[in-house]
Amino acid sequence: MALVDVTKTCLDSIHQISEHIEGATLYLDAGSTESFQFIGAFPVLLNLGVCAVCSLENLCSLDVVVDWNLKSDTVSKIAVITSRLLSDAHRYILRCLASHEGVHRCTIFTPISEMAHSSYPDSPLGPDAYHEYESLLVQDYEELVKKSKTKSTLPKDNNLRETSTFEDEGWSQLTSSEGDIPPLESSLTGRDIYNKIGHPEDIGQKLVVSVHHFPMILCPFSPRVFVFPSKGSIAEAYLSAEHKDSLSPGLPPLSTGLLSDGDDVSPGATLTAHFLYHLAAKMDLKMEIFSLGDLSRTVGKILMDMSSLYDVGRRRRSAGLLIVDRTLDLLTPCCHGDSLVDRMFSSLPRRERTTSSNQMKGSQTQLKHGPSNLQRAPLDVQIPLQEILREEDCKTDNLRLLESIEAFLCAWDSSNSASQIVDLTNLSKKDNNKGSLNSEVELFSGSFVCTENFCGTPYLQAILDRRTKDGAILVKKWLQETLRRENINVNMKSHPGFAVSQLQPMIKALARSQPSLLRNKGIIQLAAAAVVALDESHCARWDAFISAENLLSASAGDTTQSLAAQIGDIVIKSALVGSHQQKDGKTKASQGVLSFQDALLLIVTGYILAGENFPTSGLDGPFSWQEEHLLKEAIVDAILENPSVAKLKFLHGLAEDLEANLNRMRFEETRQVSSNQLQIDDFDDDQWGSWGDEETENNNDKEQVYGDMQLKLELRDRVDNLFRFLHKLSSLKTRNLPLRDGAYTSESSFIGDPYTNKGLLYKLLTRVLGKYDVPGLEYHSSTVGRLFKSGFGRFGLGQAKPSLADQSIIIVFVIGGINGLEVREAQEALSEAGRPDIELIICGTTYLSPDDMLDLLLGDSSYF
């Protein structure tokens, strides 16, 4: 029987729509682009006959001429793959249609099913969502064509003046009472768009629109690990509304057991349930559903409501689905574990977050009782390959490669279309002197592709299952084997062990020629990412975190005084470092030194540890009033010394006051020093000359003292709010119902027990595979199962509750996100249980780094 492979299922889904995309210009939105990049789908798309792949949001004038080498002069077939709701993607699709002349067919694919569209809060589409949208899009396009015909007869100035009005056409039917939407930035002018529409009386009648369901838009890190695209509707939908038991829209609420069936279901829960249902159908699996946590139970019930007798009766492979709330274990993603992949995602730069107009005014922001869209951290990392290609050792071929790319980008620059011939010599000088082209060349940066493999073993899957050092040694081994296969000799000193410096010469040797670079791009990109992650600057910061977290963990096993003292020391050290950097004019932290933001993350870790180890030590928190007062004063002093931290959410509005206060303090220090010097020099010259100015100086001093007191009072109020939120984090163990009896803590009390230092997924799988009782784990009976239980059970024909350990396939989905450490620990639990026969799939809402957790808990994505 074939093994479960998420990546293969995604690629098979693309082949299944080949008839719709063959000969078409394909438009992908940001979420689909992110997904297809991980899948490695772009070569597949071109092999299936796609004319070109373009960006849906960033419409470009080149899109109209990408198929200039075909027999037809115009684009007649367009396909759109979007990771969003149809209402969110509507204005982009409409602009896309308007930019092409003579489009006859438009095919749209979305991962959101018709039922999910209709059940989404305040959705403008009903149960027959796809057919409704097809009619609306054709209607809006016909209206747009008619208006363009009228505007084309107007003077050119009026025509251009109406551009923004054109771009908003067709949106009113899908977003009622929302006013005007800001126009998108595009290289196409209004005149270009109207000219491209051509003959309006013909085009509107010929347009045929069809919408199809395409659920497999996800980002797989390996054949058995995946998350949702960061720019897709499922990842950006909020998981909890703001109330006393919620922490962030990007995290489930606390599992207090009080969530009733009558409460409003969050959009994130609805979309997640529908995705899991269709994922099982695509992979031909019959799922036995288990849940742990309030929101997970809600998702499980939605899944069961979607099931039918037909679905249950079909012959499919049986699989166990375990849904878990992220809020049951916030400590693991906050900590810096022994995972090379986690280090890579924390060290490598990512694409900048972009706030599109559909996020500002899309359907999700119209929800009556919910927040606006989440801003998830992009999964699209930028591996600095251009730095390798610019090295002097490999400048012969690869410099020409970069220059060719730059020449192409400049020659097709829509803002300077007249310059079709580019001097490569001048171009290289231009690149060195100006940064405008650099951003375009960054498109050549490397990225992770899960299908890249070494002799059939996917690179990312192999290092996900290993610790940092083991993963780095494995990367080195792959490089050596690849060099041997390419018959390339590298002169380097061989010594036992591993050093980052050993990787760089091998990477340069493989990238020296273009054919070798293209053949071995997978291992080159992975090795370059490892070099960045294990660089001294990034490695020192990560190791400093590990050291601090180990100290906090050890202190948590002692007393509250010891833990509070450790947290206070961390804050004071970060304040001193920040103060010195402010005086020296530095903006970046020194190697191995933690900033105040880093200290805040460690404070979160410390309070969660305190709540787990001292749940009843304080009335309003785990620490005494005296211990917490000292921590508050240390944080206030740290903020006063480092006004740059005012960008944090709980300090919004204080940036100018903090900066002015710091400048005044520095000025006072400087004036005091100079005044003391003058008094020493002129002590006997004039002792009476300053009498007239004393009263004025005293008044100024009083005003400054009053202003300082006002600022400190406001700052203390903000810090008090911070500690109230920390108290909520420290109560996770007592307020989360499944954690109250301590079943997921070690039964032995000695320090150093490996079970104690593991995350929730490891502990959960260990208990499940050992067939121990799991408190809070709920089984969701299928339709047939409920029938046996309620009807035939009285005759002794009841259906036994299945065990998750008896399943040959187990899917673990964490609502809120996962990290690389949890993937490795889950595989360790499987290995220690002696169950190599189980196919384990780990997935979640998004991929979480410690910085992402800080943003969710204390940043702009928090309810704090």
Side-chain angles (χ1 to χ4, degrees):
M1 189 172 292
L3 298 177
V4 174
D5 190 332
V6 175
T7 308
K8 184 177 182 299
T9 305
C10 293
L11 294 174
D12 290 343
S13 298
I14 296 176
H15 282 90
Q16 292 169 8
I17 63 171
S18 58
E19 61 177 318
H20 297 288
I21 63 177
E22 183 180 2
T25 298
L26 179 62
Y27 281 86
L28 303 177
D29 69 355
S32 301
T33 302
E34 201 171 57
S35 171
F36 282 20
Q37 179 176 289
F38 273 90
I39 298 170
F42 295 108
V44 176
L45 293 173
L46 296 179
N47 289 335
L48 292 177
V50 173
C51 294
V53 180
C54 308
S55 171
L56 182 62
E57 296 95 343
N58 302 317
L59 197 65
C60 175
S61 56
L62 293 179
D63 298 346
V64 183
V65 295
V66 287
D67 58 346
W68 62 271
N69 58 346
L70 297 181
K71 295 180 180 180
S72 175
D73 294 333
T74 60
V75 176
S76 61
K77 186 177 180 182
I78 286 179
V80 176
I81 301 180
T82 177
S83 59
R84 295 191 168 278
L85 294 161
L86 292 172
S87 54
D88 285 346
H90 177 71
R91 72 188 319 269
Y92 297 110
I93 297 173
L94 196 59
R95 286 183 76 241
C96 175
L97 290 172
S99 66
H100 290 277
E101 178 184 353
V103 176
H104 297 162
R105 176 174 293 276
C106 177
T107 308
I108 303 167
F109 298 93
T110 174
I112 315 298
S113 65
E114 286 188 294
M115 191 181 297
H117 269 95
S118 61
S119 59
Y120 195 87
D122 291 352
S123 172
L125 301 174
D128 196 15
Y130 290 172
H131 292 296
E132 291 176 21
Y133 182 72
E134 290 168 1
S135 302
L136 285 172
L137 182 59
V138 171
Q139 180 181 346
D140 289 346
Y141 182 65
E142 289 176 350
E143 291 179 3
L144 177 62
V145 170
K146 292 177 182 178
K147 290 188 178 182
S148 68
K149 180 182 178 181
T150 304
K151 294 172 184 176
S152 63
T153 62
L154 297 176
K156 294 182 179 179
D157 292 340
N158 292 341
N159 197 348
L160 293 175
R161 197 179 301 120
E162 297 290 339
T163 302
S164 61
T165 306
F166 153 75
E167 290 180 341
D168 292 335
E169 294 297 338
W171 186 250
S172 58
Q173 298 192 34
L174 291 179
T175 54
S176 58
S177 68
E178 274 298 319
D180 295 332
I181 296 176
L184 283 157
E185 293 183 3
S186 173
S187 57
L188 283 175
T189 64
R191 183 187 308 171
D192 294 332
I193 294 176
Y194 297 134
N195 291 338
K196 294 299 176 187
I197 290 181
H199 306 285
E201 63 275 5
D202 298 329
I203 297 174
Q205 298 174 359
K206 293 180 180 179
L207 180 63
V208 177
V209 177
S210 60
V211 181
H212 303 276
H213 188 213
F214 187 79
M216 299 306 292
I217 298 182
L218 45 87
C219 295
F221 291 90
S222 77
R224 298 182 187 176
V225 178
F226 72 86
V227 296
F228 296 134
S230 63
K231 298 294 290 182
S233 289
I234 305 179
E236 290 187 343
Y238 74 89
L239 296 173
S240 61
E242 187 171 3
H243 56 82
K244 64 177 182 178
D245 292 326
S246 60
L247 301 173
S248 166
L251 294 171
L254 301 183
S255 297
T256 57
L258 303 177
L259 188 65
S260 64
D261 296 337
D263 293 341
D264 293 334
V265 179
S266 65
T270 301
L271 296 181
T272 299
H274 283 265
F275 169 82
L276 291 173
Y277 177 81
H278 292 288
L279 172 70
K282 274 289 182 182
M283 301 180 72
D284 203 28
L285 299 176
K286 172 191 171 185
M287 292 190 298
E288 300 290 349
I289 303 170
F290 299 80
S291 64
L292 186 67
D294 286 356
L295 191 63
S296 296
R297 185 173 69 250
T298 301
V299 172
K301 288 181 179 179
I302 296 174
L303 280 169
M304 282 297 95
D305 292 338
M306 293 173 64
S307 66
S308 65
L309 291 173
Y310 173 76
D311 292 329
V312 174
R314 294 183 62 184
R315 291 185 178 181
R316 295 177 174 178
R317 294 181 66 186
S318 179
L321 173 63
L322 175 59
I323 313 171
V324 184
D325 281 5
R326 175 75 276 171
T327 42
L328 294 176
D329 178 19
L330 295 179
L331 188 61
T332 301
C334 283
C335 291
H336 296 68
D338 193 3
S339 168
L340 181 58
V341 176
D342 284 347
R343 285 177 181 255
M344 288 178 178
F345 270 87
S346 295
S347 305
L348 290 168
R350 307 194 198 182
R351 303 285 180 189
E352 294 183 1
R353 293 182 180 181
T354 56
T355 304
S356 57
S357 59
N358 67 337
Q359 287 177 316
M360 293 185 290
K361 292 192 155 275
S363 63
Q364 293 194 34
T365 60
Q366 299 173 11
L367 302 180
K368 297 178 181 178
H369 305 292
S372 60
N373 267 6
L374 281 165
Q375 282 286 306
R376 294 286 188 186
L379 299 174
D380 186 11
V381 300
Q382 294 179 307
I383 303 172
L385 288 181
Q386 66 271 17
E387 296 181 5
I388 299 173
L389 297 180
R390 292 184 188 279
E391 292 291 340
E392 295 182 0
D393 296 339
C394 43
K395 67 181 181 180
T396 52
D397 290 338
N398 287 328
L399 184 57
R400 286 198 296 270
L401 174 62
L402 280 180
E403 288 177 341
S404 300
I405 295 172
E406 294 168 354
F408 173 78
L409 291 171
C410 283
W412 285 107
D413 185 2
S414 59
S415 62
N416 188 18
S417 57
S419 59
Q420 297 294 330
I421 301 175
V422 181
D423 185 356
L424 295 183
T425 305
N426 295 334
L427 184 60
S428 61
K429 294 179 181 178
K430 175 183 176 182
D431 185 39
N432 291 331
N433 297 330
K434 294 178 63 176
S436 60
L437 195 59
N438 245 353
S439 60
E440 300 290 347
V441 178
E442 284 180 1
L443 295 173
F444 199 65
S445 297
S447 57
F448 290 130
V449 181
C450 73
T451 52
E452 297 286 357
N453 62 85
F454 181 83
C455 299
T457 302
Y459 292 124
L460 284 177
Q461 179 184 4
I463 62 173
L464 271 170
D465 297 341
R466 286 170 171 80
R467 298 178 182 271
T468 301
K469 185 177 180 181
D470 296 336
I473 292 175
L474 187 61
V475 171
K476 175 185 173 182
K477 178 183 176 182
W478 284 333
L479 280 173
Q480 291 172 335
E481 293 293 332
T482 306
L483 287 169
R484 189 177 299 111
R485 189 174 56 194
E486 293 285 340
N487 293 322
I488 299 175
N489 295 322
V490 180
N491 295 325
M492 55 180 294
K493 296 180 180 179
S494 60
H495 55 82
F498 172 81
V500 181
S501 59
Q502 296 175 338
L503 299 181
Q504 294 173 339
M506 292 188 282
I507 297 173
K508 293 177 183 178
L510 279 177
R512 186 162 295 145
S513 66
Q514 292 183 27
S516 175
L517 172 65
L518 295 177
R519 279 195 305 268
N520 305 296
K521 60 184 183 299
I523 184 57
I524 290 174
Q525 291 181 130
L526 184 65
V531 169
V532 174
L534 299 177
D535 180 71
E536 185 177 357
S537 58
H538 296 115
C539 208
R541 179 175 178 266
W542 191 276
D543 292 341
F545 263 114
I546 292 177
S547 177
E549 288 160 1
N550 288 337
L551 285 175
L552 291 177
S553 181
S555 300
D558 192 4
T559 61
T560 58
Q561 293 87 349
S562 176
L563 182 56
Q566 288 293 344
I567 297 175
D569 289 343
I570 291 171
V571 174
I572 293 172
K573 289 178 181 177
S574 68
L576 290 175
V577 170
S579 177
H580 289 311
Q581 289 173 354
Q582 291 279 348
K583 292 179 180 179
D584 297 338
K586 296 180 180 179
T587 57
K588 293 184 178 180
S590 303
Q591 293 184 5
V593 178
L594 301 178
S595 65
F596 180 71
Q597 286 90 334
D598 298 334
L600 280 177
L601 182 58
L602 289 170
I603 292 173
V604 168
T605 301
Y607 264 77
I608 295 176
L609 285 170
E612 291 181 354
N613 290 273
F614 318 112
T616 58
S617 59
L619 196 59
D620 295 324
F623 301 115
S624 66
W625 181 89
Q626 293 85 353
E627 293 164 353
E628 201 156 86
H629 177 71
L630 293 176
L631 289 177
K632 291 180 180 178
E633 290 300 314
I635 291 177
V636 169
D637 293 340
I639 295 172
L640 290 174
E641 290 289 337
N642 302 276
S644 61
V645 302
K647 61 184 179 181
L648 295 170
K649 185 177 181 179
F650 76 98
L651 295 176
H652 281 181
L654 296 181
E656 294 182 0
D657 293 338
L658 290 171
E659 189 68 37
N661 178 73
L662 182 64
N663 292 334
R664 185 167 58 249
M665 291 171 59
R666 290 178 180 173
F667 175 74
E668 290 294 334
E669 291 177 2
T670 305
R671 190 178 68 171
Q672 185 67 30
V673 172
S674 59
S675 175
N676 292 338
Q677 186 64 34
L678 288 174
Q679 288 178 6
I680 293 174
D681 295 339
D682 303 331
F683 182 77
D684 294 326
D685 293 344
D686 186 8
Q687 301 182 23
W688 310 94
S690 62
W691 269 32
D693 299 330
E694 286 184 0
E695 185 175 352
T696 303
E697 291 180 359
N698 288 336
N699 290 334
N700 292 335
D701 291 341
K702 289 179 180 179
E703 292 178 0
Q704 291 179 6
V705 169
Y706 178 76
D708 292 344
M709 289 298 297
Q710 287 291 101
L711 178 61
K712 287 186 177 181
L713 287 174
E714 176 66 23
L715 193 55
R716 285 193 174 96
D717 287 340
R718 304 285 184 96
V719 173
D720 286 340
N721 291 333
L722 169 65
F723 274 79
R724 278 191 283 271
F725 185 79
L726 292 174
H727 294 163
K728 184 186 288 189
L729 294 179
S730 67
S731 65
L732 290 175
K733 182 177 179 180
T734 56
R735 297 178 68 179
N736 277 318
L737 190 61
L739 305 179
R740 288 180 186 173
D741 61 355
Y744 301 104
T745 58
S746 175
E747 296 178 356
S748 52
S749 58
F750 61 88
I751 298 176
D753 184 7
Y755 186 87
T756 307
N757 299 324
K758 299 291 186 180
L760 178 65
L761 286 192
Y762 173 89
K763 298 174 182 178
L764 190 57
L765 286 172
T766 299
R767 297 187 70 89
V768 165
L769 297 177
K771 296 189 176 182
Y772 297 108
D773 181 50
V774 180
L777 186 67
E778 182 172 337
Y779 171 67
H780 300 268
S781 300
S782 62
T783 306
V784 173
R786 291 195 297 268
L787 183 62
F788 270 103
K789 183 178 180 180
S790 60
F792 300 138
R794 69 187 68 179
F795 303 109
L797 300 175
Q799 188 181 40
K801 177 181 176 181
S803 171
L804 193 60
D806 295 334
Q807 305 294 327
S808 60
I809 301 173
I810 297 179
I811 303 173
V812 179
F813 188 92
V814 182
I815 301 180
I818 58 173
N819 67 0
L821 178 64
E822 290 179 307
V823 175
R824 178 175 62 78
E825 289 183 348
Q827 292 295 337
E828 289 179 357
L830 206 64
S831 176
E832 292 172 5
R835 295 296 304 274
D837 56 306
I838 293 180
E839 300 179 55
L840 180 64
I841 298 176
I842 305 294
C843 44
T845 307
T846 188
Y847 194 91
L848 293 172
S849 69
D851 292 335
D852 297 334
M853 288 301 299
L854 180 63
D855 181 63
L856 286 172
L857 295 175
L858 299 180
D860 292 334
S861 299
S862 171
Y863 283 136
F864 163 60

